[in-house]
């Protein structure tokens, strides 16, 4: 497969959130601001690249019947590494994302890449795929976070441009669904 | 390499190898990040302490102590400058938040004035409840410089207090007040001199054996080694049953300690009460009869036969751990009282 296409497919065409509808739980939960969304996206990016590398390396060593438990253990290990590393070196961000970091383990999009791509492709393509899909996920979460922050608190990346209370609903859970819905509609339009 | 068959042995070895490598690497990462994680937690706490109390030059975390409250415990960090208490930062909590526990750091000056408040942890609704955070609204400013002793009720107006709740965030505001109130009351109850040390009359009653007169009214003074001591004789009819000696020592850790020591006619100690002290809460203040059994060591003791000094000095008294200076001063005051009585 053409590596450039492989890399860019995650941005819009096969964007994990907007097109594949995977990993919606963290996408809705953490995106109260653009910064949080980006933090969560980058954490997932790291996990998906690392797990893709390891899964593609061991794909022939792991028998078919135990592949899912194996992948889950590998993903969970990387998530714990991210969790500990973030707690140690980025305590402020860790506090914001706290609860959601361990949930990357059960983010079906990460397991999905391991199962659908890394276990069938070479190391090189798997890294490119992980990077592209991870960046797509980061992009989606940042966009969603930005949209919610702009509407909900009249701010972007913490910088407030109207000193007033925003439309609260966008900070709360229902606003997450509404914003996501419009962003999906937009990507569908772009995909046509 | 061809894909391995799903035989029992292959599956077990694959899972074993993967889990082994995973757990080994996680153990390694855990060791690696342990220190930074602890450092981050300490840094965060120190920052919160620093922002709620006035300038200090000690290490408040090193001097922390705990106040037990009915549904948990509060950690108190005393802030000192040149050894003098500037205020305390209290890590307090409430379970009445809109989404669970809220943890605050409340700075209180020695006179009870609230100096500053920081939010340590909460899960309140973003955009609503999270306005209790210091950077997000001026809510916390309402508390600063207020002294609940002087007509400031730490309750929101809806509950009859003096705090304006954040709009649409009544529950979080109420919980915040609850946490502040908890810290304030716990600390003020615990502060030396603030709580119920016995009055002189009560103390006399506690240290002297059966008497029927009013010893306080028969007070007389004795000068011993250039200092004035007050003595209160207890009698039944005309017979003296004992004498209470008020003895003050300057060698306390934080200042003078005043004791009332009761003796019977044989010179045996019948009781000891602390009348006044400024010793460190959690350590030195354990000399109070209501806080530890330290005083019981003295009761029934004959100072003529027993060496009233702490063990570290070769005596027979077990000092309070962490408060040797205070225990030493206490012993000195008891010895002085006995010397005064003898002379």
């Amino acid at each position: 497969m053409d590596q450039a296409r492989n890399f860019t497919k995650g941005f819009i065409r096969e964007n994990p959130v907007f097109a594949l509808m995977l990993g919606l739980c963290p996408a809705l939960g953490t995106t109260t601001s653009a910064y949080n969304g980006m933090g969560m996206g980058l954490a997932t990016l790291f996990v998906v690249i690392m797990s893709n590398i390891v899964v593609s390396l061991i794909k022939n060593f792991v028998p078919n019947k135990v592949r899912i438990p194996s992948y889950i253990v590998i993903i969970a290990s990387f998530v714990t590494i991210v969790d500990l590393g973030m707690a140690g070196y980025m305590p402020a961000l860790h506090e914001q994302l706290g609860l959601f970091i361990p949930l990357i383990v059960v983010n079906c999009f990460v397991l999905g890449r391991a199962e659908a791509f890394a276990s069938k492709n070479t190391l090189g393509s798997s890294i490119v795929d992980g990077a592209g899909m991870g960046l797509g996920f980061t992009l989606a979460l940042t966009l969603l976070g930005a949209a919610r922050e702009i509407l909900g608190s009249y701010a972007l990346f913490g910088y407030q441009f109207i000193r007033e209370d925003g439309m609260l609903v966008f900070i709360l859970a229902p606003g997450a669904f509404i914003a996501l819905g419009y962003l999906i509609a937009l990507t569908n339009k772009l995909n046509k | 390499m061809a894909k391995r068959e799903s035989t029992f042995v292959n599956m077990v070895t694959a899972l074993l190898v993967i889990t082994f490598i995973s757990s080994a690497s996680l153990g390694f990462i855990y060791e690696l990040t342990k220190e930074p994680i602890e450092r981050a937690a300490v840094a965060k706490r120190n920052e919160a302490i620093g922002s709620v109390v006035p300038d200090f030059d000690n290490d408040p975390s090193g001097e922390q102590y705990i106040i037990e409250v009915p549904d948990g415990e509060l950690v108190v960090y005393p802030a000192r400058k040149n050894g003098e208490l500037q205020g305390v930062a209290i890590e307090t909590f409430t379970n009445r938040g809109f989404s669970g526990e809220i943890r605050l750091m409340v700075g209180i000056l020695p006179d009870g004035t609230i100096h500053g408040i920081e939010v340590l942890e909460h899960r309140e609704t973003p955009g609503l409840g999270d306005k209790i955070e210091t950077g997000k609204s001026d809510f916390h400013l309402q508390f600063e410089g207020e002294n609940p002793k002087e007509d400031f009720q730490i309750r929101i107006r809806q509950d009859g207090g003096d705090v304006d709740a954040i709009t649409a965030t009544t529950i979080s505001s109420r919980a915040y007040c609850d946490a502040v109130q908890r810290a304030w009351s716990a600390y003020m109850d615990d502060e030396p001199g603030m709580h119920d040390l016995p009055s002189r009359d009560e103390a006399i009653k506690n240290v002297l054996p059966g008497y029927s007169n009013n010893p306080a009214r028969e007070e007389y003074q004795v000068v011993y080694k250039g200092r004035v001591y007050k003595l209160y004789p207890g009698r039944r009819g005309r017979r003296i049953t004992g004498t209470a000696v008020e003895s003050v020592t300057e060698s306390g850790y934080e200042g003078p300690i005043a004791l009332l020591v009761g003796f019977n006619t044989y010179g045996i100690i019948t009781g000891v009460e602390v009348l006044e002290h400024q010793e460190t809460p959690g350590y030195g203040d354990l000399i109070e009869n209501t806080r530890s059994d330290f005083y019981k060591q003295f009761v029934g003791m004959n100072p003529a036969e027993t060496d009233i000094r702490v063990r570290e000095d070769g005596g027979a008294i077990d000092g309070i751990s962490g408060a040797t200076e205070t225990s030493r001063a206490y012993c000195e005051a008891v010895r002085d009282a006995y010397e005064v009585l003898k002379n």
Side-chain angles (χ1 to χ4, degrees), chain B residues 62-310:
Chain B
E63 292 183 34
Q64 67 181 76
Y65 61 91
I66 282 171
I67 303 179
E68 303 263 350
V69 291
D71 39 2
E73 45 189 40
L74 309 179
V75 189
V76 183
Y77 305 95
R80 297 172 207 282
K81 192 167 195 177
N82 303 325
E84 201 177 312
L85 190 70
Q86 298 293 308
V88 292
I90 303 180
E91 202 178 322
T92 177
F93 65 95
T94 176
N95 294 319
R96 298 206 198 149
F98 190 68
S99 331
E101 198 188 40
I102 300 176
R103 300 194 72 84
L104 305 180
M105 186 71 86
V106 180
I108 299 176
L109 301 185
D111 68 349
T113 305
I114 297 173
H115 188 72
I117 306 176
E118 275 289 335
V119 178
L120 295 177
E121 216 183 298
H122 75 88
R123 283 185 282 279
E124 303 305 285
T125 321
L128 284 174
D130 70 345
K131 293 219 180 86
I132 57 173
E133 280 175 34
T134 306
K136 293 198 174 156
S137 81
D138 291 341
F139 178 64
H140 66 285
L141 291 179
Q142 298 182 66
F143 298 85
E144 285 176 13
E146 297 289 349
N147 190 338
K149 265 195 278 189
E150 292 157 7
D151 204 32
F152 176 77
Q153 302 285 328
I154 316 178
R155 283 197 304 269
I156 54 172
R157 292 211 193 281
Q158 284 94 319
D159 299 345
D162 291 317
V163 177
D164 290 314
I166 302 168
T167 317
T169 312
T170 313
I171 293 177
S172 306
S173 309
R174 186 177 283 146
Y176 190 96
C177 291
D178 179 56
V180 176
Q181 177 73 56
R182 187 184 309 263
W184 193 82
S185 337
Y187 178 64
M188 295 318 273
D189 277 353
D190 205 67
E191 203 199 10
M194 282 303 295
H195 45 77
D196 45 356
L197 281 173
S199 67
R200 181 167 291 109
D201 286 342
E202 278 167 13
I204 291 174
K205 206 189 296 173
N206 292 344
V207 301
L208 274 187
Y211 58 86
S212 56
N213 64 331
N214 181 349
R217 213 178 276 160
E218 295 180 36
E219 170 194 326
Y220 61 100
Q221 297 186 338
V222 169
V223 180
Y224 177 71
K225 283 189 182 164
R227 271 165 103 170
V228 181
Y229 291 83
K230 288 178 188 159
L231 282 76
Y232 309 94
R235 357 170 158 260
R236 186 177 285 276
R238 308 207 127 212
R239 192 169 59 89
I240 289 192
T241 55
T243 309
V245 184
E246 196 177 319
S247 173
V248 182
T249 174
E250 299 292 337
S251 4
Y253 189 67
E254 299 281 355
I257 300 176
L259 296 186
L260 191 75
V261 190
F263 297 93
N264 68 11
T265 42
Y266 304 105
I268 291 171
I269 298 173
T270 49
V272 190
E273 277 282 3
V274 179
L275 294 175
E276 247 181 85
H277 77 86
Q278 271 119 46
E279 301 308 287
T280 322
Y283 295 101
D285 72 344
L286 291 178
I287 54 172
E288 289 172 29
N289 293 10
T290 48
R291 286 178 191 272
S292 84
D293 288 343
F294 180 65
Y295 76 104
K296 285 191 179 156
Q297 296 184 63
F298 297 87
V299 178
M301 205 173 242
N302 184 347
E305 290 166 3
T306 322
D307 190 354
I308 301 193
R309 282 187 300 175
V310 290

Side-chain angles (χ1 to χ4, degrees), chain A residues 32 58-67 69-71 73-74 76-78 80-81 83-85 87-89 91 95-96 99 119 165 168 171-172, chain B residues 1-7 10-11 13-15 17-19 22-23 25-26 29-30 32-33 36-37 40 44 120 123 125-128 131 133 136:
Chain A
T32 49
I58 62 159
K59 59 177 182 280
N60 287 333
F61 171 72
V62 179
N64 240 335
K65 280 188 181 162
V66 291
R67 66 183 196 286
S70 309
Y71 299 165
V73 170
I74 291 162
S77 305
F78 284 116
T80 314
I81 290 171
D83 195 25
L84 290 172
Y89 301 102
E95 212 163 279
Q96 294 283 322
L99 241 174
S119 68
D165 285 350
L168 258 177
I171 297 292
L172 305 176
Chain B
M1 192 166 87
K3 185 112 184 153
R4 298 218 301 172
E5 288 292 315
S6 288
T7 63
N10 280 352
M11 291 196 287
T13 42
L15 285 178
V17 169
I18 287 170
T19 44
S22 295
S23 37
S25 50
L26 282 187
I29 296 285
Y30 172 75
L32 203 70
T33 53
I37 289 176
K44 189 183 170 210
L120 295 177
R123 283 185 282 279
T125 321
L128 284 174
K131 293 219 180 86
E133 280 175 34
K136 293 198 174 156

